[in-house]
Amino acid sequence: MTDVHEDHLHILVCMERLNAAWNTLKQIQASLDQPLVGPAFRYALVEYATAFNNSHSPSKKNRKLSPSLVPSAHSGLHQRLINARDSIHAHADLTIFEAQLEVHLVAGEKQISCVRNFIHGLEELKNLPEVIELVEGVLRNLYDEHEKSRRRIAD
């Protein structure tokens, strides 16, 4: 498989992931009162962000979508989603919890207490329409890249 072929395959996989995210977000929008909205939203954010993280290929070249595909009006939201994916949804980044662990001697026994931030991962749910617009904008731009890639292969 050539680099051009791998690039095209990567675009196809990213289109699948972004379309899955869009579909999940639209279903959430239609049923916000359902109990699985939280986990579904978090899943959709991981699906979205995956396209912008390194993807290993047979040629050992790392591929990820360029941030230039993100509509400029949504660049801040995009970066927040990427950061949340990296620190909350797909990893357990302890720094965001700003935790304090204390050990106290109470009645002759050691007691451990922990105080930390509560991060539920749904901070951007209130921005659902904007998240959907972001995904749609990236998909539009990615469809353009897909067409360019298809032409490169055909030539």
Side-chain angles (χ1 to χ4, degrees):
M1 186 179 301
T2 68
D3 269 358
V4 172
H5 291 160
E6 279 188 10
D7 287 343
H8 190 76
L9 177 60
H10 182 252
I11 289 171
L12 291 173
V13 169
C14 289
M15 286 170 47
E16 288 174 9
R17 301 298 289 263
L18 291 168
N19 275 301
W22 178 84
N23 187 46
T24 301
L25 292 167
K26 292 299 281 184
Q27 290 182 35
I28 290 168
Q29 190 175 44
S31 54
L32 282 169
D33 60 336
Q34 298 299 314
L36 294 178
V37 161
F41 184 71
R42 293 180 68 169
Y43 167 79
L45 297 185
V46 170
E47 283 285 272
Y48 170 79
T50 296
F52 292 94
N53 283 307
N54 283 331
S55 174
H56 305 291
S57 67
S59 69
K60 308 293 187 226
K61 180 179 175 184
N62 287 331
R63 286 174 165 74
K64 62 182 177 180
L65 291 184
S66 169
S68 67
L69 295 171
V70 176
S72 59
H74 296 296
S75 61
L77 175 60
H78 166 79
Q79 195 56 55
R80 290 195 310 272
L81 297 182
I82 298 300
N83 291 345
R85 182 253 178 223
D86 292 346
S87 61
I88 300 168
H89 304 297
H91 302 283
D93 185 348
L94 295 180
T95 61
I96 63 169
F97 293 108
E98 299 175 342
Q100 301 263 332
L101 193 69
E102 295 184 8
V103 179
H104 299 280
L105 192 59
V106 178
E109 289 188 34
K110 286 187 177 180
Q111 300 291 320
I112 302 171
S113 63
C114 178
V115 178
R116 65 179 179 93
N117 293 332
F118 178 72
I119 309 291
H120 52 70
L122 303 177
E123 290 77 16
E124 296 293 345
L125 184 58
K126 67 183 179 293
N127 299 320
L128 182 59
E130 291 82 13
V131 173
I132 291 170
E133 286 176 17
L134 166 61
V135 175
E136 290 172 345
V138 170
L139 276 167
R140 274 191 301 278
N141 293 334
L142 189 56
Y143 292 144
D144 291 343
E145 288 299 311
H146 174 260
E147 183 56 29
K148 292 175 192 171
S149 175
R150 191 189 64 70
R151 276 185 257 148
R152 277 192 298 275
I153 291 172
D155 289 343

